[in-house]
Amino acid sequence: MLLRSVLALAAVLAAVGLGVASPKAAAAPCGLPDAHPLWFDYAEGSVTFRKQIFGRTGVIAATSGPAVSSDLRAGGAQTVYWENKLGSLVGSSTSPADTTTIAAAVDKLFGKAVTATGCQTPYVGLNELNGPGTTTPWTQSNTQYRANVLALLQGLTARGARPFLLLPTAPYTDGDAHAWCLQAAQVADIVPEVYFQAPSIMNAGSVLGSRRMRVAYRNAIANLTALGVPASRLGIVIGFQSGPGTGGREGLQPTSQWLRFVKLQTLAAKQVAGELGLGTVWSWGWGTFSAAGADPDKQAAACVYLWTRDHSLCDGPGAAGSGFNASLTEGQIALPAGVQCTVDRRAVSAGSIQALAAVTRDRDLAMTGLFSRAIEAEHGVVSSGELLALERRVITLRFHGSRAAYLRALRARRATLAVARGVLADSLRRARIAHSLRVAAPTTAQVALFYLAYPGELVRLVRADAPVSWLGGRKRGFALVPPAPPEVLKARVGVPTPVLVADGPLTVTAVEQPLPLEALPLATATPAIRAALLAYARADAFDAWTLREQSSALNRTICLRDDLPDVGAVDLVSYLPFLALPV
């Protein structure tokens, strides 16, 4: 049905000399700047301050009346045509216009656009597609409505205009809707409207609020680029409405906060438009259509908006007055070269992600590991002296003192020395933080259950030259491995043996050979089991702690393209097990 309607309408147009054509290749007609994106600002008669704010060089005003357009151009602005009521030409999804009226509608609209803009190849904004999210199969009336819209776009393009079709909601793109969207994109720019509740954004803070807006803009465009529509034929409409229930200010006070939102929204649109290579950004919300939408701060907001785009367009801080936060970097993606993310001024570089991903074979996992490291490093500092001393002990105890063997082991796992040192510092920091967390003491029932569940676990009677946690804070006792270091099981009876622990060197002496846990009476084994259960509880507590800290830190994290790390308790030492330390 859709295809037959489109073909029938195309035949009508062809009969009057308005055949279907491909998009014109010519860029930036009638003196418009050859730039991406182009910024178009709604400036109809309902915008009472249009001449003062938008009637200036550097502004492209979207308006319809010849007198208003001429007045704005006299002030230095350029103009494009704005059709505020697309439905008056094509009808609606429930009451479409008669097919035979579309050719005349094309003629009428094109003529008005040429007259208003003074341009023979005008840009024409069409407000707005009715029911873009309507699912298929479409009703007969909606099918006819979509055919009408498509024919109007085709007719305007055939006459030399460049239509821009605004979408008030995300489009449905399956079934016949998929084909329709692609056909429309052949002859028009598609421009989703993406509006926000300013109070919600500002309550989230500049970092999280700005991120939410950028992500929403990207998502609106991704729905269309996924169909194959080039970003240069797409745009976004950003809103500065004041009326309640329309998205925008929604009563946000004080004025300085509203103007701060205006700035942040404009910066978000500017970031995403440049990042994706969008063709246009349209601003909406400057008009006053009712008493409820009247806002004495509209003019100041429009000035701040222009200033944020380009300082030469308006004195935003001057219009905003005292209390306005004029920072153009708050909440923004402004990272040094080579840095993927920053959190609390700690950087996660693209190079470090790449190096660690060579070990994990998973970029996302590497990114999470480095993000968690940045957070955990705020709570546990490992000095370079401590790290190098620990590295020497690893080489001495686990590689028989051979640095060459250590480096070979790293290469075998695709790890650089820097990666290994980072993981080793993680292990040391993790042990320290874990010991600082409060955990519940194991119960008698838990001890008994462990004893019955793991009868074959090896346990060994040893004495250490300092109290250690895996001996229950004592120097002598039975040790389970883990949490005791593996050297405990390898030690020769009666021979003092260095073992690897987090803080400083430690020597243990094995009193007897290892035994299975079941060889000991429960009462004798209880201290070793309690120490092990405490170690496991501390490890679990650490995982829960780092997940909480990471989740909270995401609200303070800035990443390129808002490509944020996943939150996770990543144990990187599992990839380099010879760096493991007891918890």
Side-chain angles (χ1 to χ4, degrees):
M1 173 63 76
L2 174 63
L3 182 59
R4 289 200 299 272
S5 297
V6 171
L7 291 176
L9 201 50
V12 171
L13 293 173
V16 294
L18 298 180
V20 178
S22 298
K24 297 292 183 181
C30 301
L32 293 176
D34 187 9
H36 283 83
L38 290 174
W39 295 75
F40 299 146
D41 304 318
Y42 176 78
E44 289 271 70
S46 60
V47 182
T48 57
F49 51 83
R50 61 188 179 278
K51 183 65 180 293
Q52 299 96 308
I53 298 298
F54 296 124
R56 63 183 70 196
T57 302
V59 171
I60 307 173
T63 187
S64 59
V68 172
S69 298
S70 178
D71 198 33
L72 290 168
R73 288 197 297 273
Q78 295 168 289
T79 57
V80 296
Y81 190 76
W82 177 264
E83 174 50 64
N84 199 49
K85 296 182 178 180
L86 175 60
S88 66
L89 302 171
V90 295
S92 68
S93 59
T94 56
S95 182
D98 190 294
T99 299
T100 61
T101 66
I102 302 303
V106 169
D107 283 340
K108 181 180 178 181
L109 179 57
F110 182 78
K112 289 168 65 177
V114 168
T115 300
T117 62
C119 173
Q120 294 301 311
T121 53
Y123 282 12
V124 181
L126 299 170
N127 185 49
E128 57 196 339
L129 183 67
N130 182 215
T134 303
T135 59
T136 57
W138 286 335
T139 63
Q140 184 174 357
S141 61
N142 191 59
T143 297
Q144 185 59 59
Y145 168 73
R146 288 296 186 102
N148 287 351
V149 174
L150 184 59
L152 183 76
L153 300 177
Q154 292 169 333
L156 288 171
T157 299
R159 293 292 295 269
R162 182 171 175 178
F164 295 79
L165 180 63
L166 276 60
L167 306 183
T169 57
Y172 182 76
T173 58
D174 287 340
D176 286 342
H178 186 156
W180 188 91
C181 286
L182 289 177
Q183 289 174 303
Q186 286 293 313
V187 290
D189 287 52
I190 309 299
V191 188
E193 302 168 36
V194 187
Y195 303 144
F196 305 98
Q197 302 278 340
S200 175
I201 294 296
M202 297 312 295
N203 286 340
S206 61
V207 172
L208 184 56
S210 294
R211 183 194 302 156
R212 286 179 181 172
M213 291 190 285
R214 290 191 298 263
V215 169
Y217 290 143
R218 291 193 195 94
N219 288 343
I221 296 303
N223 290 339
L224 295 162
T225 55
L227 301 179
V229 181
S232 60
R233 297 287 294 190
L234 298 172
I236 50 176
V237 185
I238 61 178
F240 302 94
Q241 301 93 314
S242 296
T246 60
R249 186 167 188 173
E250 297 293 352
L252 179 63
Q253 293 291 349
T255 296
S256 60
Q257 274 293 85
W258 165 237
L259 299 181
R260 187 180 177 202
F261 168 81
V262 169
K263 176 197 69 175
L264 292 176
Q265 183 179 207
T266 307
L267 287 172
K270 188 175 181 180
Q271 168 73 34
V272 173
E275 179 185 291
L276 300 181
L278 300 185
T280 56
V281 177
W282 299 67
S283 71
W284 168 257
W286 309 122
T288 300
F289 302 101
S290 66
D295 184 349
D297 296 325
K298 276 187 182 289
Q299 183 168 335
C303 183
V304 168
Y305 155 74
L306 290 179
W307 169 81
T308 305
R309 275 172 44 191
D310 182 341
H311 285 2
S312 69
L313 294 179
C314 203
D315 179 12
S322 61
F324 173 62
N325 183 338
S327 169
L328 294 176
T329 59
E330 65 160 340
Q332 304 310 300
I333 302 174
L335 301 173
V339 172
Q340 174 65 33
C341 297
T342 59
V343 53
D344 299 330
R345 299 187 179 181
R346 293 181 181 273
V348 176
S349 71
S352 65
I353 296 172
Q354 183 178 10
L356 185 54
V359 178
T360 64
R361 301 291 181 93
D362 186 318
R363 180 185 181 276
D364 291 340
L365 187 63
M367 193 168 171
T368 297
L370 292 171
F371 173 66
S372 61
R373 177 182 298 169
I375 304 306
E376 292 159 15
E378 297 178 356
H379 301 271
V381 176
V382 177
S383 69
S384 59
E386 290 175 315
L387 179 58
L388 293 177
L390 184 56
E391 181 184 68
R392 287 192 295 270
R393 293 201 298 276
V394 167
I395 294 171
T396 298
L397 299 180
R398 294 183 176 170
F399 293 90
H400 307 290
S402 173
R403 186 175 183 82
Y406 175 62
L407 294 177
R408 283 196 299 273
L410 295 182
R411 287 195 295 270
R413 291 165 174 80
R414 303 172 300 280
T416 65
L417 187 60
V419 165
R421 286 175 175 171
V423 173
L424 195 57
D426 291 342
S427 296
L428 179 54
R429 188 182 301 111
R430 179 188 179 112
R432 290 176 175 175
I433 294 174
H435 275 277
S436 73
L437 302 175
R438 299 182 67 176
V439 297
T443 65
T444 301
Q446 289 171 330
V447 171
L449 181 62
F450 186 97
Y451 180 77
L452 293 173
Y454 302 101
E457 289 296 304
L458 292 179
V459 65
R460 193 171 198 184
L461 183 61
V462 298
R463 61 175 181 271
D465 59 5
V468 287
S469 61
W470 37 269
L471 289 178
R474 296 174 299 172
K475 292 184 178 182
R476 179 185 170 93
F478 284 96
L480 274 166
V481 179
E487 292 87 1
V488 167
L489 295 180
K490 300 175 184 178
R492 294 166 59 189
V493 175
V495 178
T497 303
V499 298
L500 190 65
V501 293
D503 293 313
L506 180 73
T507 298
V508 300
T509 302
V511 177
E512 58 185 36
Q513 295 294 341
L515 298 169
L517 188 61
E518 64 183 352
L520 300 180
L522 175 58
T524 304
T526 291
I529 295 174
R530 286 188 181 279
L533 289 175
L534 278 171
Y536 304 151
R538 281 193 291 266
D540 290 342
F542 175 86
D543 287 348
W545 172 85
T546 191
L547 290 176
R548 290 193 303 271
E549 292 296 319
Q550 290 175 49
S551 296
S552 174
L554 281 178
N555 295 343
R556 312 188 302 274
T557 301
I558 300 289
C559 294
L560 287 177
R561 293 178 177 259
D562 294 304
D563 177 18
L564 295 170
D566 296 324
V567 169
V570 179
D571 186 8
L572 293 174
V573 79
S574 63
Y575 296 93
L576 301 170
F578 46 81
L579 301 181
L581 299 174
V583 175

